[in-house]
Amino acid sequence: MSNSGHISNQYPLGETQPERIRSHTGLPLSEITLEAIREGRVGPDDLVIHTETLQKQADIAKAAGYRQLADNLRRAAELVNIPNERLLHIYEALRPRRSTYQELISLSEELAVQYDAVENARFIREAAEAYRTNLLLRPEDG
Amino acid sequence: MPRSKRFATLANQDINQDTFIHEWPEMGLIAMDSPLDPEPSLRLDAGRVVEMDGRSREQFDLIDQFIADYALGLSRAEEAMAMDSLAMARMLVDINASRADIISLLDGCTPAKLVEVVGHLNVVEMMMALQKVRARQTPANQAHVTNWQEHPALLAADAAEAAWRGFAEEETTVRVARNAPLNALAILVGSQTGRGGVLTQCAVEEAVSLRLAIKGLTSYAETLSVYGVAQAFVDGDDTPWSKAFLASAYASRGVKIRFTSGTGSEVLMGHAGNKSMLYLEARCLMMVKGAGSQGVQNGSISCIALPESLPGGVRAVLAENLIAAVLGLEVASGNDAMASHSDIRKTAKLMLQFLPGTDFITSGYSSIPKEDNLFGGGNFDAEDFDDWLVVQRDMKVDGGMRPVQEKDVARVRRRAACALQTVYEEFDFPPISDAEVEAATIAHSSADMPERDVVSDLAAADRFMADPQTVLDVICALDRRGFEDIAARILEMQRQRITGDYLQTSAIFDSDFHVLSALNDPNTYQGPGSGYRLSPKRWQELSDLPQAKLPQTLVPDQPRDGELQLAELAPARPSTEAEVVIALGPAFGTTLHQTLGKLPHKAVLRELMAGIEEEGLTPRVVKIYHTADCAAIGHAGAQLSGSGIAIGLQSKGTTVIHRRDLAPLNNLELFSQSPNLSLASYRAIGRNAARYAKNEPVTPVPVKIDNMVRLRLIVHTTLMHFKETLEIESGAPPIELKVRFQ
């Protein structure tokens, strides 16, 4: 907490420290230009936010008093490395009566083990319990 | 009894096309303060909520659990719950209590407590609170951009115009779901043509919406709908966990989101239980906060006519905006869906958000005509642009729009349509013809556009969605074909996604892509002299309506009427002749030559004189210089008149028949609205004046009544009268005139 003032002063990152921002692939922000695109040096994956940037934004949100937004951004930071299709799949699996209890638990383990997404893993495990209590699971097949 | 004509007229007014019902609390048809709403309560055990608003943890539904575990700020919960609700309500309007103080304390309130606190406030107090507690200091507005044809060139042109007019966000949607990627593309290209930094979204099914964001075709999402009752939530095909995960999924791709909720949605879905709309909305809003959404679009949104059918419904909708704000959320405050048949009622409701300012005053101003609105019709449409701008100017309030010039709008519309035409060409989509570009440039609605081959467009949309093409290809296409500036702006939107600054609460961009959010543009309102005030530059911009005229030129100098010659003789003396004096105002026939009703002075004077002569008396014309006041002119003339009767005539045509013995402000007949007078009226006035002089019975001159005249011409009246007063010579005597009509 001692450096919370310091964190707030870093906002907006794009204006206070543009040189320190990299995309998901490690490409520095300064190299994401029209010229670089013309020369084919920027791909779609280069236009994705980096985990560390999201964590930093989470710290900034927390320091400014937006606790839950900070937690959301921390969960988001864990999701950066999950491929688009997998991400859409997980969202779909969390919708009402899409998954069995076991499927949600497996998903939770996948997130923890494969992507080190421990907050999301915990969140999905909690959802599995809540869905069980509230009858929101897909009935077990035969 | 026969029907009262008054009541029959009232029954046909717009307001009575709206439906009004009495409360029915057992069914949830009550806006707020239901006797069946729970009493606020909170019990903690070892840092865990074990009871909230009368329910124990064992009785919690999904939403209770989510609120208790994610939203409630437990560190101050016991303090907040123990505090008197009235004292908290007073904090909301106390200028000495800051936004931060309030948010930090109310973080510990349960939904029922929040409802109890705002329930102590009347609407003016709620507005004061909203002015102080809204997240971002600078207010903004969002536009809806759709059209019935889903014409891409028109979408791009309308998006460009909306951006140029100042909207910070633009939302589109679909008539045919498959069109989503093309509609998103059109408003992306259009918006960035109008102004760099405008955020765009396309409201479609959740998973499709996320795909569009991943492709880079949208920069925010808003329609993450939530409900205050578990069953409604599930009917919406989500849970608090799935929605919260979705929020994180968007953020993981650098995309801003806000949730959507609003009073009335639960009862409309048949799941209100027996709770008030506002109590259920308070639960929604705490769920939204718990999920970590930076903000919410609320204010009943598409359900607005439902709370408006109930007593206090509009107050409840303001209360829900306020609750969202005290929870620290960005608020896009409704005023989007049609709320009433009555323009008076719609505008009155709007003022509750417009005057205090919110993060987005509407969560979708229909920047297109009503028939093109695919959100179910806008409460305020393109036809109302100028009304909005005038109200801003009237009240010195920033409603997030600015006056624009037609030529500038045409320029950005054409350019946006051209840019999209190029992208379509490069992507091998069904071509946009030059004729379509030209039509889009000047179009008002879909009806002005050539029809497109819908089947081919939909096939292209399907391909675009399935293909790996992304916004990067759009940038390349624009860059290659001479639209580097638009390409650069769209690229900058992508760079902002990598930076993530606009994920913070209530973020928008200015035209230089500077982010403005609750963090670097925090609302600092604490009474007069603080908070958002229009800068001189912004005030100048909002004041400068294109239809406003320079007063110096509104009443142009009138050409001299060569046919009327008024030769000045000696100072006029009282006489004893059988005459009627016509006393003219100081500018009559010299610097002014027409009345306000555009009757030539020559003709007016001739008719007055002819009327007097018809009755066998002599007209005597004098010029008054010491005053420009109609009564005083007439009174002065009467003092000179041998019969004691005079007609006072101002240059603007206002006329009085006066008599020597009457008090100056009294009269025999007064014709105060000269545009209602014809030449025949002036002749009749002359006749009547003569009959007064002869002591004969007189029927006052009938004049048609047009009560709009004053409204229409008051500025002209003022300016004409100003010219007359410039001719006053104080102390100068009346002058005898010799009149010649050539």
Side-chain angles (χ1 to χ4, degrees):
Chain A
M1 292 309 282
S2 59
N3 67 347
S4 67
H6 177 60
I7 281 285
S8 304
N9 290 339
Q10 292 181 15
Y11 185 83
L13 296 178
E15 292 174 26
T16 64
Q17 45 184 266
E19 71 288 348
R20 293 172 65 175
I21 298 171
R22 291 168 300 141
S23 90
H24 172 55
T25 54
L27 195 64
L29 187 64
S30 59
E31 291 184 24
I32 300 175
T33 61
L34 271 184
E35 200 173 19
I37 291 174
R38 271 176 217 143
E39 293 165 7
R41 287 187 277 121
V42 179
D45 291 344
D46 295 316
L47 299 184
V48 176
I49 193 166
H50 195 282
T51 298
E52 281 173 18
T53 312
L54 274 168
Q55 272 158 355
K56 201 171 263 185
Q57 293 290 3
D59 292 342
I60 291 169
K62 178 116 193 268
Y66 299 95
R67 186 174 77 245
Q68 292 90 346
L69 174 59
D71 290 343
N72 174 25
L73 296 176
R74 263 187 249 293
R75 289 194 296 272
E78 292 183 349
L79 301 177
V80 171
N81 292 317
I82 298 178
N84 293 336
E85 290 309 314
R86 196 64 193 152
L87 194 68
L88 286 159
H89 170 84
I90 299 168
Y91 166 60
E92 184 62 24
L94 278 170
R95 296 177 102 168
R97 305 192 183 95
R98 301 296 203 283
S99 306
T100 64
Y101 180 79
Q102 199 46 54
E103 282 166 346
L104 287 175
I105 296 300
S106 304
L107 208 49
S108 165
E109 283 164 3
E110 175 192 330
L111 283 171
V113 174
Q114 216 169 315
Y115 300 103
D116 196 26
V118 291
E119 277 307 308
N120 283 281
R122 188 200 55 70
F123 197 71
I124 292 175
R125 185 176 292 276
E126 184 186 87
E129 299 300 334
Y131 290 9
R132 184 154 66 179
T133 313
N134 292 279
L135 308 177
L136 290 174
L137 296 167
R138 178 165 57 83
E140 299 281 350
D141 302 325
Chain B
M1 194 176 78
R3 184 84 210 262
S4 149
K5 293 189 172 62
R6 176 68 46 78
F7 277 76
T9 302
L10 284 173
N12 281 326
Q13 297 299 305
D14 290 339
I15 191 73
N16 283 320
Q17 309 310 307
D18 291 355
T19 304
F20 301 96
I21 55 174
H22 296 293
E23 291 172 343
W24 188 3
E26 293 77 11
M27 288 299 292
L29 285 169
I30 178 166
M32 58 194 285
D33 300 323
S34 170
L36 302 173
D37 284 345
E39 290 293 318
S41 75
L42 186 72
R43 273 200 312 117
L44 302 181
D45 183 23
R48 193 160 182 264
V49 177
V50 295
E51 184 202 302
M52 183 175 72
D53 294 344
R55 264 193 217 168
S56 67
R57 186 168 273 271
E58 297 69 50
Q59 298 167 306
F60 277 3
D61 66 11
L62 285 176
I63 297 166
D64 294 319
Q65 182 187 338
F66 200 85
I67 291 171
D69 294 345
Y70 288 97
L72 260 177
L74 299 187
S75 59
R76 296 190 74 179
E78 282 173 316
E79 175 196 355
M81 292 301 288
M83 194 168 162
D84 178 26
S85 293
L86 182 59
M88 290 168 117
R90 288 181 171 182
M91 264 183 82
L92 283 172
V93 294
D94 178 355
I95 60 171
N96 300 305
S98 71
R99 171 177 187 265
D101 296 340
I102 287 166
I103 288 179
S104 144
L105 178 63
L106 270 66
D107 188 40
C109 289
T110 64
K113 181 76 171 180
L114 288 171
V115 168
E116 193 176 86
V117 170
V118 300
H120 286 294
L121 303 176
N122 65 31
V123 292
V124 176
E125 290 156 349
M126 287 183 194
M127 288 161 76
M128 288 167 67
L130 194 54
Q131 170 167 257
K132 181 169 73 177
V133 182
R134 74 155 187 271
R136 185 187 343 100
Q137 180 131 300
T138 309
N141 208 348
Q142 182 196 109
H144 280 165
V145 183
T146 60
N147 67 70
W148 190 84
Q149 269 203 49
E150 303 192 280
H151 197 296
L154 184 58
L155 277 174
D158 279 329
E161 178 174 341
W164 185 255
R165 285 181 180 275
F167 291 99
E169 287 186 348
E170 294 183 17
E171 177 181 16
T172 192
T173 188
V174 289
R175 183 166 64 91
V176 180
R178 288 157 62 202
N179 262 325
L182 294 186
N183 292 3
L185 171 67
I187 71 157
L188 172 67
V189 171
S191 63
Q192 299 312 302
T193 306
R195 168 175 94 72
V198 172
L199 300 173
T200 61
Q201 62 154 330
C202 180
V204 283
E205 193 275 330
E206 305 284 25
V208 177
S209 181
L210 180 56
R211 278 180 196 278
L212 294 174
I214 289 170
K215 265 176 144 10
L217 297 174
T218 55
S219 46
Y220 79 107
E222 175 180 68
T223 45
L224 291 83
S225 303
V226 296
Y227 305 92
V229 176
Q231 193 52 50
F233 220 121
V234 171
D235 282 0
D237 207 15
D238 266 303
T239 73
W241 283 265
S242 67
K243 271 281 157 40
F245 181 84
L246 187 60
S248 306
Y250 274 107
S252 76
R253 268 53 181 172
V255 176
K256 169 179 175 169
I257 56 110
R258 75 171 64 89
F259 280 37
T260 293
S261 63
T263 47
S265 59
E266 296 85 3
V267 65
L268 188 67
M269 292 167 83
H271 295 305
N274 52 11
K275 302 297 183 284
S276 73
M277 294 176 179
L278 187 63
Y279 168 68
L280 295 180
E281 177 60 15
R283 287 164 55 89
C284 280
L285 292 169
M286 290 197 68
M287 186 270 142
V288 169
K289 180 178 183 176
S293 172
Q294 62 81 33
V296 70
Q297 113 172 289
N298 87 343
S300 198
I301 312 301
S302 51
C303 301
I304 182 67
L306 193 53
E308 290 215 7
S309 70
L310 287 160
V314 169
R315 173 172 173 254
V317 170
L318 175 59
E320 72 176 88
N321 295 147
L322 178 58
I323 290 175
V326 302
L327 289 170
L329 299 168
E330 173 202 61
V331 182
S333 55
N335 292 312
D336 49 352
M338 259 189 289
S340 174
H341 295 80
S342 155
D343 288 340
I344 293 177
R345 194 177 188 213
K346 287 198 295 190
T347 309
K349 148 77 181 77
L350 171 68
M351 290 302 108
L352 304 185
Q353 289 79 26
F354 182 93
L355 295 179
T358 67
D359 299 294
F360 295 89
I361 291 158
T362 74
S363 43
Y365 181 110
S366 173
S367 72
I368 49 198
K370 203 177 280 324
E371 66 268 25
D372 270 332
N373 189 308
L374 297 179
F375 292 97
N379 205 36
F380 301 101
D381 301 292
E383 288 89 344
D384 306 314
F385 278 148
D386 290 346
D387 294 73
W388 188 283
L389 293 172
V390 168
V391 176
Q392 288 187 154
R393 186 179 186 261
D394 286 345
M395 304 197 186
K396 199 173 182 180
V397 163
D398 191 338
M401 278 167 63
R402 62 169 186 170
V404 294
Q405 299 286 339
E406 184 176 347
K407 64 173 180 4
D408 296 329
V409 168
R411 176 172 50 80
V412 298
R413 288 182 69 97
R414 175 177 283 115
R415 191 129 196 285
C418 283
L420 191 68
Q421 179 187 42
T422 300
V423 174
Y424 267 48
E425 216 175 292
E426 291 278 312
F427 278 40
D428 208 16
F429 290 163
I432 294 171
S433 68
D434 290 346
E436 287 176 289
V437 169
E438 289 313 309
T441 301
I442 58 165
H444 176 53
S445 77
S446 276
D448 304 318
M449 295 301 296
E451 279 187 30
R452 282 183 66 83
D453 177 352
V454 177
V455 176
S456 304
D457 278 347
L458 283 171
D462 290 343
R463 274 204 314 281
F464 188 34
M465 199 66 177
D467 286 355
Q469 284 163 316
T470 69
V471 70
L472 206 51
D473 301 285
V474 179
I475 294 169
C476 286
L478 289 167
D479 180 49
R480 218 170 18 241
R481 297 282 302 275
F483 295 96
E484 293 93 352
D485 54 336
I486 304 173
R489 287 171 177 176
I490 296 177
L491 174 60
E492 187 54 37
M493 296 303 294
Q494 310 312 309
R495 288 164 49 91
Q496 292 293 345
R497 288 174 57 169
I498 297 166
T499 306
D501 287 324
Y502 86 113
L503 301 176
Q504 299 292 351
T505 299
S506 198
I508 54 173
F509 293 108
D510 70 13
S511 48
D512 299 320
F513 284 90
H514 290 304
V515 72
L516 284 180
S517 74
L519 274 61
N520 67 340
D521 182 28
N523 185 1
T524 56
Y525 182 85
Q526 279 202 266
S530 67
Y532 182 76
R533 306 278 153 172
L534 277 80
S535 68
K537 186 165 166 250
R538 178 66 170 165
W539 175 226
Q540 173 61 33
E541 184 176 38
L542 297 190
S543 303
D544 188 13
L545 300 179
Q547 66 270 41
K549 296 172 181 70
L550 275 175
Q552 294 85 339
T553 59
L554 189 61
V555 176
D557 284 340
Q558 298 171 346
R560 188 172 186 83
D561 191 339
E563 295 168 79
L564 175 64
Q565 286 191 357
L566 299 174
E568 299 210 346
L569 308 174
R573 310 241 167 259
S575 108
T576 54
E577 302 295 321
E579 65 186 10
V580 171
V581 163
I582 301 174
L584 305 176
F588 193 96
T590 52
T591 55
L592 294 171
H593 303 282
Q594 289 183 352
T595 66
L596 195 55
K598 296 207 185 315
L599 298 177
H601 281 172
K602 179 189 65 180
V604 168
L605 187 54
R606 190 161 53 202
E607 294 301 321
L608 287 175
M609 292 171 77
I612 294 166
E613 284 162 352
E614 257 177 51
E615 292 291 329
L617 295 192
T618 307
R620 175 184 169 209
V621 184
V622 302
K623 188 75 166 284
I624 302 297
Y625 279 110
H626 70 280
T627 178
D629 176 75
C630 187
I633 292 169
H635 188 256
Q639 307 313 308
L640 302 170
S641 173
S643 67
I645 300 295
I647 297 167
L649 178 60
Q650 280 180 309
S651 296
K652 62 188 167 70
T654 307
T655 307
V656 67
I657 305 177
H658 226 302
R659 198 174 65 201
R660 189 190 298 145
D661 59 331
L662 295 178
L665 289 182
N666 200 348
N667 61 70
L668 293 172
E669 291 184 50
L670 174 65
F671 308 91
S672 57
Q673 296 198 336
S674 68
N676 288 337
L677 299 177
S678 64
L679 288 176
S681 319
Y682 283 108
R683 180 173 287 234
I685 291 168
R687 271 197 307 268
N688 272 14
R691 292 174 73 85
Y692 288 116
K694 295 191 287 182
N695 262 322
E696 288 176 7
V698 180
T699 307
V701 177
V703 179
K704 69 171 180 173
I705 294 180
D706 175 358
N707 285 327
M708 300 306 279
V709 163
R710 182 185 293 266
L711 166 64
R712 201 166 61 241
L713 291 173
I714 192 160
V715 176
H716 297 74
T717 304
T718 304
L719 292 168
M720 255 189 113
H721 190 59
F722 180 64
K723 290 193 178 199
E724 182 126 281
T725 58
L726 284 178
E727 299 302 309
I728 292 176
E729 291 173 33
S730 84
I735 302 290
E736 201 79 39
L737 293 183
K738 182 172 170 56
V739 181
R740 280 178 60 197
F741 301 104
Q742 285 190 332

